[in-house]
Amino acid sequence: MADMSVKICGVDFKNPIIPASGVFGYGREYEELFPLQRLGGIATKGTTLHKRTGNPAPRIAETPSGMLNSVGLQNPGIDYFIENELPNLLEKETVILANFAGSTVDECVEVARRLDETDVHMLELNISCPNVKQGGAAFGTSCDMAAEVTAQVRRVTSKPLVVKLSPNVTSITDIAKAVEAAGADAISLINTLLGMRIDVNTRRPVLRNNVGGMSGAAVFPIAVRMVWQTANAVKIPVIGMGGVSSGRDAIEMMMAGAQAVQVGAAIFTDPYAPVRIIDEMNEFLDSKGIKDVKEIIGAVKPW
Ligand code: SIN
């Protein structure tokens, strides 16, 4: 068996596989299926300062090899998360990345300040949610706003700060460089691609919010391309995600330059996907005689 460990921003991961924010809740439903200790880490459902009920339904739609969501950052708020969910997660012997967002810069800063006082291992600042009117992608699609919110959050936390980027931009590398310069310790990408479906009988958009974020296997090549471009543009670590469904996909994402890989929509069709992917990665590495997963990071040989 290969050494599957990776170290990102000084934090040790036993393997590079992390269920992505929003598909794994706080792990409670999944710990009945497999020990959460098997995971490299867990990115928790995005937390905001106050409880949010999210967008009206329908807010999920299937698409060919993918899905659309317009959840709208439904969550119980930072105080509930810290008091009721984080203690259980911190017992799981895996890295906890607390994903958080805000409608304003001040809200992001306040959530980060409260998380900084906890034992959570890393913060993942979401500046890329396409389903909210304020904050979210409004922060992540402008270099100036992305840098501003990153810099303000940086001031209130000494924990490793990962900034999660939107693919709905003209230049992913410009945004990545802006958040790196503003103090991000790592970058995660891609969040969902903005999409839309229409019911041709009712002439209504399928989602009540009209548009939503697309994820799933169909977006994988876009994610690999953006991870590759970003990893070549910044010096800080990159955590890749977007349509990863198999161990082979995770290896490909790491060859593009990702130091770890988040698994999202695949978990909805196979709740065991993260542990299956870890096993499949191991099988691939063994079959190639590769002794250390770190050997494949950025190993792509571009033509
Ligand atoms: C949502 O809650 O709307 C999804 C989160 C995201 O896309 O960042």
Side-chain angles (χ1 to χ4, degrees):
M1 290 250 288
D3 178 356
M4 291 285 279
S5 66
V6 292
K7 193 181 210 126
I8 300 174
C9 309
V11 178
D12 290 313
F13 291 69
K14 60 174 80 85
N15 65 63
I17 297 301
I18 306 164
S21 173
V23 299
F24 207 70
Y26 305 108
R28 291 197 187 270
E29 296 79 5
Y30 294 88
E31 64 187 335
E32 292 172 18
L33 303 181
F34 57 84
L36 300 188
Q37 292 89 313
R38 287 213 54 204
L39 301 168
I42 298 172
T44 57
K45 172 63 188 162
T47 298
T48 51
L49 187 56
H50 304 293
K51 173 182 169 153
R52 289 177 62 100
T53 51
N55 292 334
R59 54 190 200 179
I60 299 282
E62 286 191 46
T63 63
S65 296
M67 59 177 284
L68 288 171
N69 93 79
S70 68
V71 172
L73 294 177
Q74 178 180 346
N75 80 93
I78 185 64
D79 290 340
Y80 183 95
F81 171 70
I82 290 174
E83 278 161 38
N84 299 289
E85 299 294 352
L86 190 55
N88 181 52
L89 284 164
L90 290 174
E91 285 172 7
K92 300 304 172 195
E93 294 171 33
T94 187
V95 175
I96 305 301
L97 296 90
N99 182 290
F100 69 105
S103 303
T104 62
V105 172
D106 285 350
E107 206 177 304
C108 293
V109 168
E110 183 54 24
V111 179
R113 199 186 57 71
R114 293 191 199 184
L115 286 170
D116 189 67
E117 291 168 359
T118 71
D119 290 329
V120 76
H121 306 106
M122 299 178 100
L123 306 192
E124 186 180 53
L125 168 62
N126 181 0
I127 57 167
S128 45
C129 176
N131 304 323
V132 288
K133 289 196 172 62
Q134 287 147 349
F139 289 154
T141 51
S142 144
C143 286
D144 288 348
M145 280 306 302
E148 169 68 8
V149 65
T150 303
Q152 295 299 334
V153 166
R154 173 76 290 163
R155 287 177 43 237
V156 298
T157 182
S158 53
K159 291 193 188 281
L161 176 62
V162 184
V163 180
K164 183 169 177 178
L165 301 191
S166 170
N168 304 304
V169 293
T170 314
S171 168
I172 193 70
T173 53
D174 285 352
I175 303 276
K177 284 192 251 188
V179 302
E180 179 183 41
D185 295 306
I187 285 168
S188 59
L189 80 164
I190 60 172
N191 203 325
T192 54
L193 287 136
L194 196 59
M196 181 179 190
R197 294 301 302 274
I198 297 167
D199 181 328
V200 294
N201 293 311
T202 62
R203 303 185 181 191
R204 292 280 196 193
V206 172
L207 296 174
R208 186 67 177 76
N209 195 43
N210 297 324
V211 297
M214 183 174 169
S215 58
V219 310
F220 180 65
I222 299 169
V224 171
R225 184 264 297 176
M226 287 194 162
V227 164
W228 179 63
Q229 288 178 322
T230 303
N232 282 292
V234 297
K235 294 192 175 58
I236 54 179
V238 170
I239 300 173
M241 79 190 93
V244 172
S245 313
S246 67
R248 222 182 166 83
D249 290 347
I251 298 274
E252 192 174 330
M253 191 70 97
M254 293 186 77
M255 286 185 173
Q259 299 199 9
V261 174
Q262 295 191 10
V263 179
I267 293 178
F268 290 138
T269 47
D270 174 10
Y272 296 93
V275 284
R276 173 176 53 76
I277 288 170
I278 294 164
D279 292 342
E280 289 172 357
M281 289 179 80
N282 255 312
E283 280 163 30
F284 175 87
L285 295 172
D286 283 352
S287 74
K288 300 287 181 195
I290 299 170
K291 300 269 178 280
D292 189 335
V293 74
K294 292 179 278 302
E295 280 179 35
I296 63 162
I297 297 171
V300 62
K301 299 179 193 166
W303 296 104

